[in-house]
Amino acid sequence: QLQASGGGLVQPGGSLRLSCAASGTIFSINVMAWYRQAPGKQRDLVAVTVSGGSTNYADSVKGRFTISRDNAKNTVYLQMNSLKPEDTAVYYCNVQSRRAARDPLEGYWGQGTLVTVSS
């Protein structure tokens, strides 16, 4: 189960930090990511971090957004700075994890949190 939080209304140029905590039976988490979906558009990858620590970002957010994870808390964060109106969307966290060492990877989605960038 994933619980996302941190969305809200912010002015252009402002900042927000999203959080997403995973709970339940977790042996390991391989991938933690944030996606977003603007009205009338498809859901797109924003940022991803894998268990080895590497990260990747959509070109539109590079240099403004930072993804990080706290493995002890099974939580992923998205620090969003210099927000623009075009960042307005529902943000979803996604986790790929195993319940036991030999179990297959399973994917989970958070409930989504709305970010609105407007003056």
Side-chain angles (χ1 to χ4, degrees), residues 41-115:
K41 296 188 176 181
Q42 66 182 19
R43 190 175 298 187
D44 292 324
L45 178 66
V46 175
V48 59
T49 178
V50 298
S51 56
S54 63
T55 59
N56 201 13
Y57 298 90
D59 288 342
S60 59
V61 307
K62 282 181 180 177
R64 300 188 298 121
F65 291 10
T66 302
I67 189 170
S68 61
R69 60 193 285 176
D70 184 333
N71 292 325
K73 296 181 179 180
N74 290 330
T75 299
V76 62
Y77 305 96
L78 186 67
Q79 177 66 43
M80 306 184 293
N81 299 327
S82 302
L83 282 160
K84 304 175 180 180
E86 51 263 43
D87 295 318
T88 295
V90 177
Y91 284 70
Y92 298 90
C93 56
N94 175 268
V95 166
Q96 297 179 33
S97 63
R98 287 186 172 87
R99 297 189 181 191
R102 296 184 178 183
D103 282 3
L105 279 174
E106 295 180 271
Y108 302 90
W109 288 96
Q111 81 279 17
T113 184
L114 177 63
V115 173

